[in-house]
């Protein structure tokens, strides 16, 4: 899951891992962000200049595949 925020004030449950999105992550969501911006009238450069956080299931959780596919 991608969140448009640095999420520094959010306490996530232990079942997930949060990390800052890198350039590869940003490229992965660029087409979706572009479509969103076209539909709702946002400037894609402004949106992509924001910090993004990537949320993934914690690999130590034995039930991770029940809720989120890796």
């Amino acid at each position: 899951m991608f969140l448009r925020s640095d999420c520094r004030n959010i306490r996530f449950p232990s079942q997930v891992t949060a990390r800052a999105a890198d350039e590869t992550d940003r490229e992965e969501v660029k087409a979706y962000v572009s479509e969103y911006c076209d539909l709702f009238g946002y400037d894609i450069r402004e949106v992509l200049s924001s910090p993004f956080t990537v949320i993934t299931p914690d690999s130590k959780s034995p039930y991770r595949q029940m809720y989120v596919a890796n």
Side-chain angles (χ1 to χ4, degrees), residues 17-57:
T17 301
R19 65 174 175 78
D22 61 22
E23 199 55 41
T24 303
D25 298 319
R26 289 174 173 278
E27 281 299 317
E28 185 178 339
V29 298
K30 190 173 184 177
Y32 300 108
V33 172
S34 177
E35 181 180 1
Y36 175 87
C37 289
D38 289 343
L39 289 170
F40 295 102
Y42 288 97
D43 180 359
I44 189 169
R45 292 174 303 232
E46 183 180 337
V47 173
L48 289 177
S49 70
S50 301
F52 281 79
T53 301
V54 180
I55 309 300
T56 56

Side-chain angles (χ1 to χ4, degrees), residues 5-18:
S5 171
D6 62 14
C7 297
R8 80 179 98 176
N9 295 325
I10 298 175
R11 288 185 50 140
F12 291 100
S14 61
Q15 295 88 348
V16 300
T17 301

